[in-house]
Amino acid sequence: MTSEMWAAIESVPLSGENPADSLSPEALQALAQDERLRATHERIVALDHRIAVVIHDVPLPEGLANRVAEAVALSPVRGAVVPIATASTSLGLGEGAQQARSRRFWLAAGSAAVVASIVLLAMALTQWNADPAWNVGQLAEAAAHFCLSGGEQSGDARTDAPPSDFPFGRGVVVPSVNRWRLIGDFFGREAVAYELPSIGGHRATLYVARLNISDPLDAPPQKPDFSTGRCAVAIWQRQGVAYLLVVVGDQPVSAYPWFLERPTSPLT
Amino acid sequence: MALPSQDSAKLVDAHLAEVYRYAFRLSGSPWDAEELTQQVFLIAHQNVDQLRHPDSARAWLFTILRHCFGRNQRRWEPQREADLGLELDRLAEETPDAESIDSESLQAALNKLSGEYRLVVLMYYFEQCSYREIAEKLDLPIGTVMSRLARGKSALRKLLADDLLAIAKVSH
């Protein structure tokens, strides 16, 4: 028996009712002629079916469902589905009226498309050098991947005065010693990463960058904008400076508020 | 018709266990499996409008999982050549008894398979894909998949057999 023929035997799908049905006549003949090979093949088939059962024997971690549901609930949906009603079905127009209406519609649509193209072209020319605006959810997700892939560890930590263009964010716990790193490429921009003190086994980093974010909050949100099992990210922007607070640990969503300054009650 | 976004929660309810188990077998660690599982459901949530038929949700989520796993592996580590030989004469001695396999020994062997072999082997055992389906889903030639599957299964058997042998030596 050749290796190719054996590869074909090994590739017989497990889901078939009778595996022999999937074997080529040559393979069946080869197995029929060699008793030892046939016995081994039967053992392999039995092992395959055993593995296919045992492979699903994996205990689920406690609280997994809640953590995943929480992360999904915090994540924005890209592209909402909007049902569209057609004019002819909703208005019940006659055929002639529909045709006249259709011509007018296409004339209007054509004109609108030309105008829209001109406007878009003008916008593109004026915005040629402008930064694209980041969506909060997408930026938070990208930042989580950046941190989990070790991007935050790049560069040496420093303790001297950080660049004034990247001020520490208000509302975040202030470390006793400012340890910061300069990151040359943080989503295409320079950034400063401030190390926050570890709390409850969780570490946190505050990224400060001149990024353009669409519709940001101007203070740390009460809950992270994005989270995975190991990482939670919150984003806000103040005076043109973007802040990304990234918490890494076992319970990042629960730990996130520990890194925020508690609001002080007004003096009475 | 696309599913409304609120059905993301139903996706989690219906498929969380299977996705996590598959992620665990792929990654070999509960931490990484949870990370992968979260990634899968977040991507599914953000693209739930792409899911046209609820019946295909399982396959769709598994596709996202394989993609996430591949993306997280910066590069496939090479498989030891010694594990990959397809020696027909030694098949019998390198095939452990089915009853001797348990969840832990299976994972220990899977962990020693390189990512590209592990993926094909898991698509075969976990998803119960045919080699044609594997070829289609991974966009690989059928011959490549058959060869990779045969070598991957053979390597898995050797690793399982070695593990059992090591346990037997220790117990004696």
Side-chain angles (χ1 to χ4, degrees):
Chain A
M1 176 174 287
T2 63
S3 296
E4 289 75 21
M5 199 185 287
W6 185 255
I9 290 175
E10 287 270 29
S11 302
V12 170
L14 283 169
S15 50
E17 283 184 11
N18 184 4
D21 292 346
S22 305
L23 292 176
S24 67
E26 295 80 15
L28 283 170
Q29 194 181 1
L31 289 173
Q33 286 172 352
D34 188 335
E35 195 177 327
R36 188 164 168 258
L37 194 62
R38 189 171 65 248
T40 305
H41 177 245
E42 282 169 6
R43 282 181 63 202
I44 288 175
V45 170
L47 179 64
D48 281 348
H49 283 93
R50 170 74 178 159
I51 291 174
V53 171
V54 171
I55 210 160
H56 292 274
D57 179 15
V58 176
L60 298 182
E62 205 173 317
L64 173 72
N66 286 341
R67 290 192 292 278
V68 173
E70 193 177 42
V72 168
L74 282 168
S75 174
V77 180
R78 191 190 302 157
V81 180
V82 182
I84 300 165
T86 57
S88 59
T89 53
S90 60
L91 297 175
L93 297 173
E95 198 177 324
Q98 276 189 38
Q99 284 173 356
R101 207 178 169 89
S102 178
R103 277 195 298 276
R104 282 199 301 277
F105 169 79
W106 286 112
L107 271 173
S111 308
V114 170
V115 171
S117 303
I118 293 167
V119 170
L120 281 173
L121 184 63
M123 283 172 67
L125 288 172
T126 53
Q127 296 287 316
W128 190 259
N129 291 318
D131 276 346
W134 280 90
N135 165 292
V136 168
Q138 288 169 348
L139 178 60
E141 186 177 349
H145 291 305
F146 176 84
C147 293
L148 291 170
S149 63
E152 62 180 325
Q153 300 301 333
S154 58
D156 295 327
R158 297 167 60 170
T159 51
D160 55 337
S164 57
D165 284 354
F166 303 96
F168 194 86
R170 281 191 195 173
V172 180
V173 287
V174 182
S176 52
V177 179
N178 250 346
R179 280 173 60 85
W180 59 275
R181 287 181 166 83
L182 191 62
I183 298 178
D185 185 2
F186 187 71
F187 306 110
R189 289 307 195 99
E190 217 173 44
V192 164
Y194 291 94
E195 284 179 21
L196 302 184
S198 288
I199 303 176
H202 291 72
R203 60 188 168 84
T205 309
L206 179 69
Y207 293 92
V208 183
R210 297 271 169 182
L211 290 171
N212 188 9
I213 302 171
S214 62
D215 202 19
L217 294 176
D218 63 355
Q222 292 194 338
K223 288 183 174 179
D225 294 299
F226 176 84
S227 69
T228 71
R230 294 276 297 158
C231 181
V233 184
I235 294 177
W236 67 100
Q237 193 169 38
R238 195 175 173 84
Q239 295 175 341
V241 180
Y243 295 93
L244 290 86
L245 178 56
V246 181
V247 178
V248 177
D250 298 348
Q251 303 284 335
V253 175
S254 309
Y256 165 75
W258 303 343
F259 295 93
L260 301 182
E261 275 188 335
R262 292 178 191 282
T264 49
S265 51
L267 294 172
T268 52
Chain B
M1 177 160 162
L3 291 172
S5 59
Q6 61 265 35
D7 278 6
S8 295
K10 288 182 184 168
L11 274 183
V12 175
D13 283 348
H15 299 285
L16 177 73
E18 266 199 309
V19 169
Y20 175 81
R21 288 180 175 127
Y22 197 176
F24 178 78
R25 292 302 187 191
L26 275 170
S27 65
S29 117
W31 289 113
D32 292 342
E34 183 160 345
E35 193 70 49
L36 273 170
T37 305
Q38 294 228 8
Q39 280 182 29
V40 168
F41 283 105
L42 287 168
I43 291 171
H45 174 61
Q46 289 172 352
N47 297 280
V48 75
D49 54 315
Q50 290 177 11
L51 179 60
R52 299 284 156 182
H53 303 288
D55 293 347
S56 57
R58 178 181 183 266
W60 183 60
L61 291 168
F62 284 174
T63 302
I64 298 173
L65 174 60
R66 287 193 303 270
H67 177 76
C68 290
F69 174 68
R71 196 175 56 180
N72 291 357
Q73 301 270 113
R74 286 184 177 159
R75 65 180 181 85
W76 300 118
E77 67 280 23
Q79 185 65 42
R80 282 193 329 160
E81 273 301 314
D83 295 332
L84 290 173
L86 204 57
E87 296 170 55
L88 297 180
D89 293 341
R90 300 189 61 187
L91 272 176
E93 63 189 87
E94 288 172 349
T95 303
D97 288 332
E99 294 72 31
S100 60
I101 305 306
D102 61 18
S103 181
E104 287 76 23
S105 61
L106 176 60
Q107 191 58 48
L110 284 169
N111 290 348
K112 290 176 188 161
L113 280 184
S114 84
E116 60 184 347
Y117 286 97
R118 200 183 318 151
L119 183 58
V120 171
V121 163
L122 283 175
M123 287 178 80
Y124 179 80
Y125 286 119
F126 197 100
E127 294 189 59
Q128 303 217 347
C129 291
S130 70
Y131 62 89
R132 286 183 193 282
E133 288 170 323
I134 297 173
E136 198 176 298
K137 288 177 179 181
L138 298 183
D139 197 20
L140 287 171
I142 282 178
T144 304
V145 169
M146 287 173 83
S147 163
R148 204 174 281 180
L149 185 55
R151 286 168 176 270
K153 285 175 67 181
S154 167
L156 186 69
R157 285 195 298 267
K158 278 183 208 174
L159 291 163
L160 285 166
D162 288 351
D163 189 42
L164 288 170
L165 199 63
I167 291 169
K169 277 182 184 168
V170 170
S171 60
H172 280 103

